[in-house]
Amino acid sequence: PAELIRGPVRERLVDGARNRYQSGWRRSLTAMRSERYLRLLDALEALVAADLEPPAPGEEPAPVTIGSAYKRIRKAAKRADAAQDEDRDEALHRIRKGAKRLRYTAAATGAGKVAERAKVVQTLLGDHQDAVVSRTHLSQQAEAAHAAGEDTFTYGVLYQLEDDLATRSREQ
């Protein structure tokens, strides 16, 4: 609500994000015109064109299956349960990446129900990860606002909304 917005929050968050995006875009364009980038493209083309030998018998990696992808997620979930509070967010992010791997493996093998369920987990943990990143960013912006003598109340409100979202996502 408008009554909870105190100080130049919109300018700091929205305009700041726009400025960082534009700056990153310019740096990306500069990097893609560099000799280093052109050498990378040449090396990638050479790799694609290379006549690679197949692996020797017995050296082939195990194929990725729904079972192996699911097993990795279960291991990551056990590690997340045992993780300390400060490590739990990273552990949950690893589960999300595993759910994504499981989703695409299941979709590729025709296991639609597994893919759908993995997508639900991936989406919930994606919302959680977004909230974690947003909390960190809001905290940094609140510190900058405080240093500039601005009211930081709204950053606290926004932080709490993100924290609530992270909690709901974790619970689900």
Side-chain angles (χ1 to χ4, degrees):
E3 64 271 10
L4 296 181
I5 300 173
R6 299 182 187 167
V9 175
R10 179 174 178 74
E11 292 81 3
R12 186 174 289 281
L13 294 177
V14 176
D15 295 346
R18 185 178 299 115
N19 292 339
R20 284 188 302 279
Y21 175 84
Q22 290 171 346
S23 174
W25 176 257
R26 285 190 300 273
R27 284 193 318 271
S28 296
L29 290 177
T30 299
M32 288 188 286
R33 292 181 186 122
S34 72
E35 276 298 315
R36 180 178 180 210
Y37 182 73
L38 296 175
R39 284 193 310 271
L40 172 64
L41 291 178
D42 289 342
L44 289 172
E45 286 178 6
L47 180 62
V48 168
D51 186 23
L52 301 176
E53 294 182 29
E59 290 183 18
E60 294 184 28
V64 176
T65 64
I66 292 173
S68 67
Y70 181 70
K71 186 176 180 180
R72 290 174 76 172
I73 291 173
R74 292 202 35 106
K75 284 183 180 180
K78 286 180 183 178
R79 286 192 299 271
D81 283 342
Q84 300 299 318
D85 287 340
E86 61 272 4
D87 297 328
R88 184 156 294 152
D89 292 336
E90 181 57 36
L92 290 172
H93 187 54
R94 282 192 295 275
I95 295 171
R96 176 180 176 251
K97 292 189 285 187
K100 186 176 185 179
R101 189 178 304 112
L102 174 60
R103 174 185 171 194
Y104 292 129
T105 300
T109 59
K113 284 203 180 278
V114 174
E116 289 173 22
R117 290 178 179 164
K119 182 179 180 181
V120 169
V121 172
Q122 178 189 347
T123 300
L124 283 170
L125 292 177
D127 291 346
H128 178 269
Q129 180 65 18
D130 290 348
V132 167
V133 171
S134 292
R135 285 186 320 207
T136 301
H137 180 67
L138 287 166
S139 182
Q140 292 166 345
Q141 293 303 305
E143 288 177 20
H146 178 74
E150 299 168 11
D151 190 328
T152 59
F153 173 80
T154 306
Y155 297 99
V157 172
L158 293 171
Y159 184 98
Q160 188 60 52
L161 289 172
E162 293 298 331
D163 194 57
D164 292 346
L165 174 60
T167 300
R168 282 192 309 275
S169 297
R170 233 182 359 259
E171 289 170 351
Q172 289 177 5

